[in-house]
Amino acid sequence: MKPERCEMNMNQKIPEIKNDKDMKSLTISNQVSNEKVYTCEEAIDLTGTGWYIYSLVAVLAFAFEGMALDMFGLSVVVTSACDLELTRSQQSILLSMPLLGSVISAYPWGYIADTQGRLKGLKISLWGSFILATLSAFSPNWIVLAVLRLGSSSFSSGIQSLSLTLLGESCSSKIKGPSLIAVVSLIFYTFGIYSACGYFILGLEFAYDLGFIVFSPWRLLGLVLAIPLGVSAISSIFYYESPKFLLNTGDEKNALEILRKISERNGIKANKYPVQKVVFNETIILNKDIPFLQSLLDQIVPLFKPPHLYRTVQLFFITSVIYSSNNGFYSWMPFLADKLNSGLEGNANSSSFCEMVSNYQELNKTSTCIITVSEFTVWISLMQGTMYTLLNLVLSWFSWRKKAVNITIISISVISGVCIPFANGLILSVSLYFSFLVNCLCIPIVFSYYVDIFPTSYRGMATCLGVMAARLSALVGTNIVGAYLVNHCVGSFYSWSAFIMCGVIASIFLPPDNPKKLC
C-alpha cells in the first residue's frame, strides 16, 4: 500500500483557540498531519547513490576475496609446507577444514545476523578469521594448523551472507542487483591471486629459526593471504548498520539517523534528505524479549514451514547444484594448467580431455610437497579470472532480468558438459571446460534471491543456511568428482550435466524478474 500525505479536510471544523497552549497544540498537530510517512524501501532509495555505496561495495568485495583466499588459498599453503612433512591423509584433513568450518558455523552466523545485526556480525567474522589465519602461519605442527584453520574458516564463512545482506539492505533498489554482482566479481581472481602470490613468495630462499618454528616462505604466504581480511576488518568501522535491521527491531530513531548519514555521504546535503518518518511495512517483526532457545527456533523453523518452505527448498537445491558441480570440477584447474603447459608441444594437444585425465593418474603418486608454482599456471589462472570477471560485469547490466540470465548461464554449463567428452585438442577442451564452470557466475544471482524473497527477520538466517548448503554440497561434489572423474570421465560429465539440467528446471520456477517487493 502506497503511503499518502495526510492533509486536513477543508470542510473540517477548525478547533476553537482559547490560549497560547491551544495554538501550540494545533501547530504541532498540523505539522504531524502534513508529515509524509515513507516505507523503508522508499527511504533507502532517497539516500541516493554515491561514495558511501561505492566504497561499501569495494570493502565488501575485498572482504569477499579475503574469505575466498582463506578457504581456497590454503591448498597452496598446505602443499608447500615441506617442513611439516605431511602425509597425503594429513593434507586431505587440512584441506577439508575450510569446508567443514563453513558447514558447522552457518547456523550461528544466521542467528547473529538476524538478532545482533549484519554489521556487528560482519566485524566479528572479519576480525576472528584474520586473527586465526594469521596465527595459523606460526603453527608448530599440522594438528595446530588444522585447528586454527578450522577456526578461521568458521569465522570467514559468515562473510559471504553478512556482506550480501548488509549491502542489499543499504543501497537503493535501482542499483542493488549490480552492486551485489560487483561485490562477487573479485572472487573470480582467487585462483590467480593465490597462484601469483605462491609464484613470487615460494621462490624466495630464507629460513629463520624462531625457536618453536622455522619461519619459511610458506608461512609468509599464509600471512600475505590473510591481509585482505585484516584490511576489510579495519575498514568496516567506517560503515553503518543496516537501516532495515534497525527498523525491524523497532529502533526507528537510529534507523533515521543512519539513513541521514548514508545520504550525506552519498552527496546529499543533510537538510535536503526529506524523510522524517519511516515505517517498517512487513508483518513479521523481530522480538527480542523472548528466551534464547525460543529465539533460535523462531529464526529457523519458519523457513521450513509454509509459506517459505517452497522457496527455501528451491533455493537450497539450485545453490547445491551450482556449488557441487563448480567446486568439484574447479579442483582440476591446476591439472589443466599443468597439462596445457606440457602438452602444447607434444601429441597431447590432439588428445581429448578424458584421454588426458586417464593419462594423469600418476598425479596420485607424486610428492606431497610442492615448492613452486609455475609461471604458466599464474597466467592461465589470471586469464580465467579476467574472462569470468568481464562476463560478470556484462551480466550486471542485465540484473533486471536475473531469472533469464540465471537460466541461460546454467544451460551453457549443461551444453558444455555434454560436449567436453567429444572435444579433441587442448585449446578446445580447456575452452569448453571454462564454459562448463561458467555457472559460478550464477552465485551472486542466486544469493540475491535470498535477500529479495525472505522477510528481513529471517533474511540473515536464510542466507547463512544457503551458505551452509553451498559449502556442504561443495565438499560432497569435490569428493565425488575426485573419486570418479579419472576412471569414469565420460560418464561423469554426462551425469553432472544431467544434474545441472535439474538446476535449470528448478530455476524456471523462480519468481518473475520484476516482482513488487516489500522492504
Side-chain angles (χ1 to χ4, degrees), residues 74-347:
L74 181 63
S75 59
V76 70
V77 172
V78 167
T79 54
S80 60
C82 301
D83 55 325
L84 295 184
E85 299 180 352
L86 301 173
T87 64
R88 287 204 174 274
S89 60
Q90 291 169 346
Q91 276 191 354
S92 298
I93 293 173
L94 284 168
L95 294 176
S96 66
M97 289 298 104
L99 294 175
L100 181 60
S102 298
V103 171
I104 64 177
S105 62
Y107 183 85
W109 286 122
Y111 179 79
I112 291 172
D114 285 338
T115 59
Q116 303 302 313
R118 288 52 160 129
L119 183 62
K120 182 177 180 180
L122 181 61
K123 289 178 178 178
I124 295 172
S125 180
L126 287 169
W127 281 112
S129 56
F130 171 65
I131 292 172
L132 292 178
T134 301
L135 291 176
S136 69
F138 300 92
S139 301
N141 54 61
W142 77 274
I143 296 177
V144 175
L145 180 60
V147 172
L148 290 175
R149 280 295 180 169
L150 177 64
S152 69
S153 61
S154 296
F155 276 99
S156 66
S157 68
I159 294 174
Q160 178 173 346
S161 54
L162 291 165
S163 296
L164 297 179
T165 305
L166 176 64
L167 180 62
E169 295 179 349
S170 300
C171 64
S172 66
S173 56
K174 182 179 179 181
I175 64 162
K176 183 186 296 185
S179 297
L180 292 173
I181 292 175
V183 165
V184 186
S185 294
L186 190 59
I187 201 173
F188 300 123
Y189 277 104
T190 300
F191 181 37
I193 290 174
Y194 70 70
S195 296
C197 290
Y199 173 75
F200 288 106
I201 295 176
L202 295 179
L204 301 175
E205 296 182 2
F206 65 84
Y208 301 107
D209 191 352
L210 302 182
F212 65 103
I213 62 166
V214 175
F215 192 82
S216 51
W218 74 268
R219 298 182 186 275
L220 176 61
L221 178 60
L223 291 177
V224 170
L225 295 181
I227 289 176
L229 292 170
V231 173
S232 302
I234 295 172
S235 302
S236 66
I237 65 177
F238 299 104
Y239 296 91
Y240 309 119
E241 182 57 83
S242 160
K244 285 187 179 180
F245 171 80
L246 293 175
L247 282 172
N248 191 30
T249 62
D251 193 355
E252 181 185 350
K253 180 180 178 181
N254 280 332
L256 277 171
E257 183 64 24
I258 285 177
L259 286 168
R260 293 189 189 100
K261 290 179 178 178
I262 291 176
S263 67
E264 188 173 356
R265 288 176 64 177
N266 277 334
I268 299 175
K269 293 182 179 179
N271 58 348
K272 296 294 184 180
Y273 185 65
V275 180
Q276 301 296 325
K277 179 70 175 178
V278 60
V279 295
F280 189 73
N281 59 324
E282 287 187 10
T283 57
I284 304 170
I285 306 295
L286 180 64
N287 183 7
K288 289 187 173 182
D289 300 324
I290 56 177
F292 175 69
L293 292 178
Q294 184 62 43
S295 177
L296 290 175
L297 292 175
D298 287 349
Q299 292 305 121
I300 190 171
V301 171
L303 296 175
F304 296 94
K305 292 171 58 180
H308 303 304
L309 175 62
Y310 171 70
R311 293 302 182 192
T312 299
V313 173
Q314 182 187 34
L315 287 177
F316 280 12
F317 178 73
I318 297 174
T319 301
S320 299
V321 168
I322 294 172
Y323 272 81
S324 61
S325 59
N326 194 271
N327 282 262
F329 285 90
Y330 193 81
S331 61
W332 284 82
M333 279 295 296
F335 150 73
L336 271 181
D338 179 77
K339 200 64 181 175
L340 183 60
N341 187 31
S342 60
L344 284 173
E345 299 178 356
N347 57 13

Side-chain angles (χ1 to χ4, degrees), residues 5-22:
R5 185 184 298 275
C6 301
E7 296 182 352
M8 181 180 292
N9 190 326
M10 296 302 296
N11 296 322
Q12 184 178 348
K13 184 178 180 181
I14 301 176
E16 184 179 358
I17 301 174
K18 297 181 179 180
N19 49 45
D20 292 341
K21 184 176 180 181
D22 289 340

